[in-house]
Amino acid sequence: MTRLFNDPAAFADEALEGFTAAHRRWVRPVTGGVVRATATPAGQVAVVIGGGSGHYPAFSGLVGRGLAHGAAVGNVFASPSARQIHSVATAAHAGGGVLLMYGNYAGDVLHFGQAAERLAADGVETRTFAVADDISSAGPEESAKRRGIAGDLPVFKAAAAAAEQGLPLEEVLRVAERAGARTRSFGIAFSGCTLPGADHPLFTVPEARMAVGLGIHGEPGIGEEALPTADEAARLLVETLLKELPEDVADPAGQRAAVILNGLGSVKYEELFVVYRRVAALLGDAGVEIVDPEVGELVTSFDMAGISLTLTWLDDRLEELWRAPADTPAYRKGALDAAEPDPDRASATAAAQDTAVPAAPVVPAASDASRGAADTVLAALDAVARVVDAHADELGRIDAVAGDGDHGIGMRRGSTAAHRAAADAHGLGAGAGTVLTRAADAWADKAGGTSGALWGTILRSLGTALGDREAPDAARVADGVTEASAAVRRLGGAEVGDKTMVDVLVPFADALAAATAEDLPLADAWDRAATTATAAAAGTADLLPRRGRARPHAEKSLGTPDAGAHSLALITRAVHGALLDHH
């Protein structure tokens, strides 16, 4: 378990602060993460990576010459927000465009995609690439749905080395695609991990058993087997990966591969070496030439006791990029000439970030009617934060059945931050729309992950509908909820039946619109819609997930409601209480 922490909610921020203090030769802090402390040649493509905390050395430890130009760092096991990613990418950009790279998780896809849109609006040419190397999370026919685990490193490395060679953005992207298509990973674990402040692990493994095919966010394995010897573990990993070769590799014999035996947190280096001796022998027996192997902790999951094996099948070009030198806090290869810090660039970045944030808190002008409505909005957000806090443990337990168990933690971070930002805006005399949009940004920033992106979208849609000029009536609120429903579906791609929050949001929005069309007062219309939401959330227990981290464990979730759907239903009922109090 994680023993050394202060406030668990501050763990990621404090860890990043300590990391930057310890590694000033390589990195410097910027809002949202870190960038290189050394100069980047003008016109070079900036490779910006990122993801949640809890995986060190991924992602901040991989920033430096020969590897990433910057890393956006989210909260524990939660993707960084679009605003964090945008900030880091802006600081890292050297005029050649930006390639955003991340593991293939729903929250990362959403936030990095939003950041790419914002960068493009700024005039920065931007591309995105999601690493999807974990063969246990989807079959070959659905490889685009696979999650990214330790295969992040060789794919990041290939793209970054290509950028260092001065290649243009489209060619750097093609290198990433080539490396991603030739990278496969598979993992096993002997115990789950425990988040800071938690008193139990996200999943457990029975004595003398191991979990097979697990993720790096506390997701349980797709199966269990008897605890192996080191040689048996090596055989399982190698044979599993050799069963699935890239399309243009017919036989492993005569092929070259970059090999990573990765420790997930609690397996000691000596244990890894015992396993690797057999991995190397088995690959040699199969005729595979191993190129610059890596044995150690490259992508971790806090204190999880487990290992993963990654193979990147090399051609001449990928081998050149894999062998290229790199110098980062946690990953070094070959030799590079000494580099000087770039104080001018640091000063320019600081100035740019200063201008990106208002020097003093200001809010748009609002009518008295809208400011009055903001009182109700603030009360509703307070109710949301309180109900989430009261049910955070329950939401985590539901989420852990087939996911990673962090839904309650993320919702608590997001709702608390949203209420705080709303209170600040309200205190400055903001109208209802601004109170909601400030809350939306805070929720997305602090929660990260899929829920952060979606709840940020919900609150922003409501804020746009309410505005700051008029007193919102029931119909306007219903229109905002309807737009929120549509926006969430556009952003996340889920539909009713996928076992997500959409299974509650859509019927809730439809019921609210129907009730307001009957000219019911807002509190009464909301009451009816909240009842619909509660029933819809309960109904998700009968569904199998088709999206998100629960998808690989679909059967396990049968009989348990979706955590996001359940939290939304709780929130709709809590908001009804606030509406009654402010009727």
Side-chain angles (χ1 to χ4, degrees):
M1 63 183 296
T2 306
R3 296 174 177 83
L4 296 175
F5 56 89
N6 298 307
D7 178 0
F11 183 87
D13 290 339
E14 293 181 349
L16 186 62
E17 181 182 352
F19 166 77
T20 56
H23 296 294
R24 295 191 187 280
R25 180 163 77 86
W26 292 275
V27 300
R28 57 184 175 83
V30 296
T31 301
V34 296
V35 295
R36 292 184 187 179
T38 53
T40 298
Q44 185 175 109
V45 172
V47 174
V48 175
I49 64 176
S53 298
H55 305 302
Y56 190 83
F59 295 87
S60 54
L62 303 179
V63 174
R65 291 189 302 154
L67 240 164
H69 295 74
V73 181
N75 221 308
V76 176
F77 288 0
S79 66
S81 71
R83 188 152 59 174
Q84 289 175 295
I85 299 160
H86 177 270
S87 169
V88 173
T90 299
H93 183 229
V98 174
L99 176 59
L100 301 176
M101 302 186 72
Y102 45 91
N104 190 30
Y105 295 89
D108 293 284
V109 171
L110 294 178
H111 287 291
F112 277 90
Q114 289 178 326
E117 292 175 356
R118 296 183 189 181
L119 288 164
D122 294 343
V124 178
E125 189 177 8
T126 307
R127 300 291 184 270
T128 65
F129 185 77
V131 181
D133 58 303
D134 178 19
I135 67 171
S136 71
S137 54
E141 70 285 354
E142 293 185 305
S143 59
K145 295 182 179 179
R146 288 175 170 173
R147 57 198 172 194
I149 51 175
D152 283 357
L153 174 61
V155 182
F156 293 166
K157 175 73 168 56
E164 293 280 359
Q165 294 176 348
L167 297 184
L169 180 58
E170 290 300 334
E171 292 189 34
V172 174
L173 174 60
R174 281 195 288 273
V175 166
E177 291 170 342
R178 176 71 168 166
R182 285 176 151 251
T183 298
R184 306 284 189 275
S185 299
F186 183 70
I188 58 178
F190 319 110
S191 72
C193 59
T194 305
L195 300 184
D199 56 6
H200 57 275
L202 292 176
F203 74 90
T204 58
V205 180
E207 189 73 22
R209 304 284 288 176
M210 71 173 172
V212 177
L214 60 134
I216 57 170
H217 299 93
E219 308 99 320
I222 59 172
E224 285 183 5
E225 295 185 12
L227 187 68
T229 64
D231 284 0
E232 289 168 344
R235 181 172 296 279
L236 173 65
L237 295 171
V238 171
E239 290 183 349
T240 301
L241 289 181
L242 292 184
K243 288 177 183 176
E244 187 187 317
L245 302 174
E247 291 182 0
D248 56 351
V249 176
D251 190 316
Q255 299 293 327
R256 292 161 290 166
V259 178
I260 298 174
L261 183 63
N262 177 60
L264 285 162
S266 291
V267 175
K268 306 306 295 182
Y269 272 67
E270 286 86 350
E271 295 175 274
L272 291 173
F273 291 135
V274 171
V275 174
Y276 183 73
R277 54 174 271 289
R278 188 58 182 156
V279 166
L282 290 169
L283 288 173
D285 291 345
V288 178
E289 179 185 346
I290 297 173
V291 178
D292 283 4
E294 296 285 349
V295 180
E297 294 183 352
L298 283 309
V299 179
T300 61
S301 184
F302 268 114
D303 59 336
M304 182 186 291
I307 58 176
S308 65
L309 182 65
T310 296
L311 301 181
T312 297
W313 298 94
L314 302 173
D315 55 22
D316 289 345
R317 179 71 173 125
L318 290 177
E319 180 174 348
E320 174 194 0
L321 299 170
W322 175 242
R323 288 186 182 274
D327 183 26
T328 79
Y331 185 85
R332 299 167 204 172
K333 177 179 286 189
L336 288 163
D337 294 336
E340 295 297 325
D342 189 2
D344 292 338
R345 183 171 172 78
S347 299
T349 299
Q353 291 195 342
D354 287 344
T355 59
V357 180
V362 294
V363 296
S367 67
D368 290 341
S370 184
R371 285 196 294 268
D375 292 341
T376 303
V377 169
L378 183 60
L381 289 169
D382 177 54
V384 170
R386 285 187 286 107
V387 76
V388 167
D389 184 64
H391 291 84
D393 290 344
E394 173 195 4
L395 295 173
R397 286 193 298 272
I398 293 173
D399 189 37
V401 170
D404 53 17
D406 70 346
H407 183 68
I409 296 171
M411 289 291 289
R412 176 185 277 151
R413 284 195 299 253
S415 59
T416 299
H419 177 249
R420 186 179 300 118
D424 290 343
H426 181 265
L428 295 170
T434 295
V435 167
L436 278 165
T437 54
R438 296 285 174 90
D441 288 343
W443 194 313
D445 277 354
K446 292 300 183 182
T450 306
S451 66
L454 298 182
W455 272 100
T457 296
I458 289 171
L459 296 183
R460 181 166 288 278
S461 297
L462 283 168
T464 300
L466 268 57
D468 291 329
R469 304 308 306 168
E470 301 176 16
D473 57 16
R476 189 183 293 270
V477 172
D479 287 344
V481 173
T482 297
E483 173 51 33
S485 173
V488 165
R489 282 176 284 164
R490 285 195 302 270
L491 182 63
E495 293 294 343
V496 172
D498 286 345
K499 194 164 187 173
T500 70
M501 70 183 305
V502 168
D503 290 296
V504 170
L505 184 55
V506 169
F508 173 75
D510 291 346
L512 185 62
T516 55
E518 297 175 16
D519 292 327
L520 286 178
L522 178 58
D524 294 342
W526 195 284
D527 181 31
R528 181 187 296 181
T531 299
T532 298
T534 300
T540 62
D542 299 326
L543 300 175
L544 291 174
R546 297 201 290 256
R547 288 185 173 272
R549 292 181 189 169
R551 185 184 55 80
H553 310 283
E555 297 296 335
K556 290 184 178 180
S557 77
L558 196 61
T560 302
D562 176 69
H566 184 56
S567 63
L568 175 55
L570 291 171
I571 285 171
T572 62
R573 181 51 63 192
V575 170
H576 175 247
L579 293 175
L580 286 177
D581 291 342
H582 285 73
H583 183 61

